[in-house]
Amino acid sequence: MNNWPEGWHDDNRGSRYGRGSASAQPEGARVMRQVRRGPAAPPGQGGYGGPGHQAPPYGGGVPQQPSYVDGHDYRAGEPYDSGYNTGQVYGGGGPGGPGGPPTREPRPAPNWRRRFKRTAIILVMVLVVTTVGTYFWADSKLHRDVDLSKVIDRPETGEGTNYLIVGSDSRAGLSDEQKKKLHTGSAEGKRTDSMMILHTGSNGDTLLSLPRDSNVTIPSFKGSDSGKLYPATGRQTKLNAAYAEDGPELLVRTVEANTGLHIDHYVEIGFAGFANIVDAVGGVEMDIPQNIKDAKSGADLKKGKQTLNGEQALAFVRTRYALAGSDLDRTKNQQRFLSALANQVATPSTIMNPFKLYPTMGAGLDSLVVDKDTGLWDLASMFWAMKSVSGGEGKSMNMPISGNTANGNLQWDTAKVKQLVNELKNDDKVTVSSE
């Protein structure tokens, strides 16, 4: 069956270029629909080929093509919308066209209240997760090595909270170079260079220094490692000897027995930890009251305000031979420095700066030795209390001294000590003076 229009078939194609043709001459253009724009031209004018030319008659087997004028097939009597006379490619007035509705709905105005609420929730969640994570990280760094349950014959618990704060001469973690730099020496074992009782309560905080040369009686005690009971013999010695003899548990037992004051928490820090904390906070500003030069501690400080680094700070709190009051003047310097350190740690520049806070916490917590019941909140309370003392809201003092004993130790003023202990037990305002 031949599908070509009438009069068209393969036989009359001749030698034109196309199927089976060997000629290089291209095939003639096929007849396309004639589409005219504007009104139809009158007969004989401007038709086919210009003025005066008529379109050739349809014939030769070519079917007559419909003529469209203004997009309408007037020959067929039916309108036809070509889409070209209105500039529309795919019809007119449809969705997405110039005359039709938009295909997308207009974007609604942003709901700022919802966005703010969502952002606030995310920030709170991040803060909670960070806080919880920091708490467990910091808590894991504490060395809870002291068991106060081994302390026997303890006084009754009074009002407020009492911390026994100890600075030991432990060289643990120090290299030979660091020992030389910090002038710590290389003595074996541990001794106490400073001991303080910090009382926190509702009537002001009190920081009470216990001179290391204080004359005390060693009471009966249970060995911290052996569990053996050692009876009291009435032996009198310096306070720091109790620590050297059987560690923190005997020191707590001796302090409680000689004062009658219940110790709730024990906190100890060594040489290395002390220096690291000071360096982590960027140094501590101090007003040195006099020129200090001490070969044993390594102190070489000028009078006046200055920022002490870890090495200088350690030398400052250990110096006693260059001071007129020896150990008593040293305890005063230790109080002043620890209060200044607590004030520096508690500043917004440290707390709000994670690049300073975490190194400080890491340096401090990793070097602290505490009792098994001491938690982070207890330590935070201790630091804030020390900050209040440095700010004038509390009181710092030495244990009242009445003179020296026959063996050269410092003798406590019995009457004043009794009054002081009663005020601390009842959480009353301290009125006793160390002078």
Side-chain angles (χ1 to χ4, degrees), residues 155-178:
E156 292 184 1
T157 303
E159 300 294 328
T161 303
N162 298 313
Y163 298 84
L164 180 59
I165 304 173
V166 175
S168 76
D169 62 357
S170 171
R171 281 87 172 165
L174 291 177
S175 64
D176 291 339
E177 182 180 351
Q178 289 174 316

Side-chain angles (χ1 to χ4, degrees), residues 378-393:
D378 300 310
L379 292 177
S381 175
M382 181 189 77
F383 272 100
W384 281 108
M386 294 181 70
K387 183 177 184 297
S388 72
V389 170
S390 68
E393 299 175 10

Side-chain angles (χ1 to χ4, degrees), residues 80-157:
Y80 170 77
D81 187 359
S82 66
Y84 288 97
N85 58 340
T86 60
Q88 300 172 12
V89 178
Y90 297 102
T103 56
R104 291 185 179 180
E105 294 294 329
R107 178 178 295 180
N111 190 331
W112 293 109
R113 179 178 297 179
R114 179 179 297 176
R115 290 187 179 183
F116 178 79
K117 183 178 180 180
R118 185 184 298 118
T119 302
I121 292 175
I122 293 175
L123 291 177
V124 170
M125 291 178 63
V126 170
L127 180 62
V128 170
V129 172
T130 302
T131 302
V132 173
T134 299
Y135 178 86
F136 284 104
W137 167 79
D139 189 72
S140 67
K141 283 186 164 293
L142 287 176
H143 298 281
R144 295 184 173 91
D145 300 335
V146 180
D147 189 357
L148 295 183
S149 66
K150 296 179 180 180
V151 180
I152 62 174
D153 300 334
R154 308 192 67 185
E156 292 184 1
T157 303

Side-chain angles (χ1 to χ4, degrees), residues 3-83:
N3 292 326
W4 289 89
E6 184 178 355
W8 287 69
H9 49 80
D10 290 343
D11 295 338
N12 65 5
R13 294 176 61 186
S15 61
R16 289 176 302 172
Y17 178 84
R19 182 187 303 174
S21 173
S23 171
Q25 182 178 358
E27 181 180 1
R30 294 181 182 176
V31 178
M32 302 299 292
R33 292 183 177 180
Q34 303 176 31
V35 180
R36 288 188 305 199
R37 305 295 182 191
Q45 297 182 8
Y48 181 83
H53 292 80
Q54 296 293 332
Y58 290 97
V62 179
Q64 184 177 2
Q65 302 297 311
S67 175
Y68 298 100
V69 179
D70 293 334
H72 297 281
D73 182 5
Y74 292 100
R75 178 186 60 80
E78 297 179 359
Y80 170 77
D81 187 359
S82 66

Side-chain angles (χ1 to χ4, degrees), residues 367-398:
S367 59
L368 288 180
V369 177
V370 300
D371 66 275
K372 294 184 181 300
D373 295 327
T374 295
L376 292 178
W377 296 117
D378 300 310
L379 292 177
S381 175
M382 181 189 77
F383 272 100
W384 281 108
M386 294 181 70
K387 183 177 184 297
S388 72
V389 170
S390 68
E393 299 175 10
K395 183 174 184 177
S396 61
M397 60 183 293
N398 276 329

Side-chain angles (χ1 to χ4, degrees), residues 63 122 136 170 180 189 236 250 265 310 314 322 337 371 393 409:
I122 293 175
F136 284 104
S170 171
K180 182 178 180 180
Q236 293 188 345
L250 180 55
H265 295 293
L314 183 59
F337 184 84
D371 66 275
E393 299 175 10
N409 297 336

Side-chain angles (χ1 to χ4, degrees), residues 8 84 90 93 108 115 132 144 207 266 278 305 316 329 346-347 352 364 368 410 414 429:
W8 287 69
Y84 288 97
Y90 297 102
R115 290 187 179 183
V132 173
R144 295 184 173 91
L207 186 60
Y266 177 90
V278 175
K305 284 188 177 182
F316 174 70
D329 283 350
T347 57
M352 303 302 293
L368 288 180
L410 296 175
T414 305
K429 185 177 180 62

